[in-house]
């Protein structure tokens, strides 16, 4: 690989499906957190980015950066974590791990911003996107302690509980996206 880091390799891969394959093998080799919840949230992220580009072309978003961050931001998460310290620190620990893999400070900050436990102000725009897709996707999925929420319930919880009093620059556009997707017939 001649001086290439994992970061340059991962960011150099532009095909998001191939990125997921890389994640699969990274999990096998290192034991990082990567499961179907990450895949589901990444799909929501990809669909939201497509919606943004179609409806808000003035938004200058690097899809490759956001998709890569979405895939990696949970890398230090523990499966079925119940310890609040683990829950509050996984994103920061993940950012520190990603820095060791060669990702720059801004990328690590984007990933750490998946939740608001450590970065509450001056958040990166990309963090706002992965925060929305992480929380919304997580509410739609079944968990050991509860059944997944219906779309309209997840929207209410996202807007009035999870992000109540918090600024997320993409919230209104994300709600428009959810409304649009809810009307799409498959």
């Amino acid at each position: 690989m001649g001086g290439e880091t994992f970061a340059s390799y991962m960011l150099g891969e532009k095909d998001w499906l191939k990125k997921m394959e890389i994640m699969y093998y990274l999990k096998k080799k290192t034991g990082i957190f990567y499961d179907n919840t990450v895949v589901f949230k990444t799909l929501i992220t990809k669909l939201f980015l497509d919606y943004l580009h179609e409806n808000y072309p003035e938004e200058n978003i690097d899809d490759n950066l956001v998709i890569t961050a979405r895939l990696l931001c949970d890398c230090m998460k523990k499966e079925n974590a119940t310890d609040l310290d683990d829950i509050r620190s996984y994103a920061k620990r993940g950012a520190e791990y990603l820095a060791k893999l060669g990702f720059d400070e801004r990328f690590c900050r984007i990933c750490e911003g998946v939740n608001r436990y450590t970065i509450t102000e001056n958040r990166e725009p990309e963090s706002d996107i992965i925060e929305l897709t992480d929380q919304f996707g997580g509410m739609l999925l079944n968990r050991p302690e509860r059944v997944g929420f219906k779309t309209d319930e997840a929207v209410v919880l996202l807007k009035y509980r999870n992000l109540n009093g918090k600024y997320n620059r993409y919230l209104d556009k994300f709600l428009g996206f959810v409304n649009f997707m809810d009307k799409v017939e498959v």
Side-chain angles (χ1 to χ4, degrees), residues 53-71:
H53 294 308
E54 180 73 26
N55 295 286
Y56 303 95
E58 70 279 4
E59 292 288 345
N60 189 16
I61 300 167
D62 181 345
D63 289 19
N64 185 48
L65 182 70
V66 175
I67 293 291
T68 306
R70 177 57 260 164
L71 285 167

Side-chain angles (χ1 to χ4, degrees), residues 8 13 29 31-32 36 56 65 77 85 87 92 109 119 122 143 149 159 174 181-182:
S8 61
E13 177 55 67
K29 185 171 174 78
I32 63 161
N36 289 337
Y56 303 95
L65 182 70
K77 198 174 196 176
D85 288 335
I87 294 168
K92 181 162 186 59
R109 186 172 166 78
I119 298 176
N122 302 316
R143 293 200 173 157
F149 294 103
K159 187 173 181 179
F174 187 78
M181 291 303 292
D182 210 30

Side-chain angles (χ1 to χ4, degrees), residues 18-60:
K18 288 182 181 170
K19 285 181 185 291
M20 289 199 299
E21 185 177 355
I22 293 167
M23 291 295 297
Y24 171 79
Y25 289 109
L26 183 65
K27 176 190 169 85
K28 291 277 188 202
K29 185 171 174 78
T30 66
I32 63 161
F33 182 83
Y34 179 73
D35 68 2
N36 289 337
T37 65
V38 176
V39 173
F40 181 65
K41 292 172 184 180
T42 302
L43 178 59
I44 293 172
T45 303
K46 174 72 172 103
L47 292 171
F48 179 53
L49 291 170
D50 291 347
Y51 172 85
L52 281 176
H53 294 308
E54 180 73 26
N55 295 286
Y56 303 95
E58 70 279 4
E59 292 288 345
N60 189 16

